Amino acid sequence: MHKRVMDSGPAETSTATSSETSAEDLMIAVEQLVRHVRRSATAGGLSTAASSALGRLGREGPQRLTELARAENATQPNMTQLVTRMERAGLVRRVADRTDGRGVLVEVTELGEEVFRERRVERAEALGQLVGELSEPERRAVRVALPALARAIQERS
C-alpha cells in the first residue's frame, strides 16, 4: 500500500534514493502525516483551529489575543470568536495581564490542559503506530530526520 523508501540496508543506501524524492514529494508526505496525526486526536471534539490555539497556549503559556491571532494566522475577530467558544467550553479563560493592567491574556484552564495532554497522547500514539509499520531502516531514518527538521525550524525562529 505504501512505497518503501528505505528498503536497502545501511551499506546499500545510495544517493539515488534521496535525489529521487523531490521537495514536492516530501511536502506531500508531510501534509499526509500531519493530516493523519491531527485526525487521530479526538479528545475534546475540537476543530483544527481550536486544537491549534489550545496547543499553542499549552506549549507557550498565556498570550494576548492579538498575539495568538497573529501566531495562528487568524484575524482578530475570528480569534475572538474562537476564544469565546473555547472559554464557554471551559478550556481557556481571560485574565488580566499582570505587567499591563489594561491588557488581557488568554490562558489554558485545568480542563484545557487535560484536553491538550490527551490530544498530544493521541497524536503520539498515531505517529508511533505509523512508525511501527515501517522497516527498521525507515524507523531509524524517521527518528533522525524529524528531530533534525524540528531543530532547523527552531534555528530559523
Side-chain angles (χ1 to χ4, degrees):
M1 182 164 143
H2 65 280
K3 181 179 167 185
R4 293 276 181 188
V5 189
M6 306 261 320
D7 280 338
S8 60
E12 301 174 48
T13 303
S14 70
T15 56
T17 302
S18 57
S19 65
E20 290 174 8
T21 304
S22 70
E24 184 175 346
D25 291 337
L26 292 173
M27 189 63 241
I28 290 168
V30 168
E31 288 171 346
Q32 290 173 335
L33 173 65
V34 169
R35 270 195 305 275
H36 174 77
V37 170
R38 279 187 177 159
R39 278 194 310 257
S40 69
T42 59
L46 302 179
S47 68
T48 302
S51 177
S52 182
L54 184 65
R56 181 173 303 280
L57 292 168
R59 285 186 310 275
E60 299 175 10
Q63 295 184 17
R64 288 179 178 252
L65 213 129
T66 53
E67 294 169 349
L68 185 59
R70 189 177 315 111
E72 290 295 314
N73 200 25
T75 64
Q76 186 157 346
N78 284 346
M79 186 55 66
T80 299
Q81 289 177 356
L82 179 63
V83 166
T84 298
R85 287 193 304 271
M86 292 171 63
E87 196 172 28
R88 286 184 189 137
L91 301 172
V92 300
R93 66 178 152 253
R94 297 171 207 232
V95 296
D97 185 343
R98 291 180 184 96
T99 62
D100 178 359
R102 299 167 295 165
V104 174
L105 298 174
V106 180
E107 70 178 11
V108 178
T109 63
E110 285 184 35
L111 175 61
E113 288 176 3
E114 182 180 323
V115 169
F116 170 69
R117 282 190 303 271
E118 288 174 15
R119 292 178 73 83
R120 181 167 239 160
V121 166
E122 289 172 336
R123 291 189 309 262
E125 287 174 354
L127 181 58
Q129 288 172 354
L130 284 176
V131 171
E133 294 174 13
L134 302 176
S135 69
E136 185 53 37
E138 289 171 325
R139 284 194 291 273
R140 281 194 305 269
V142 167
R143 288 187 180 113
V144 169
L146 292 182
L149 288 170
R151 264 192 318 279
I153 291 167
Q154 287 176 341
E155 289 171 3
R156 294 180 116 199
S157 300

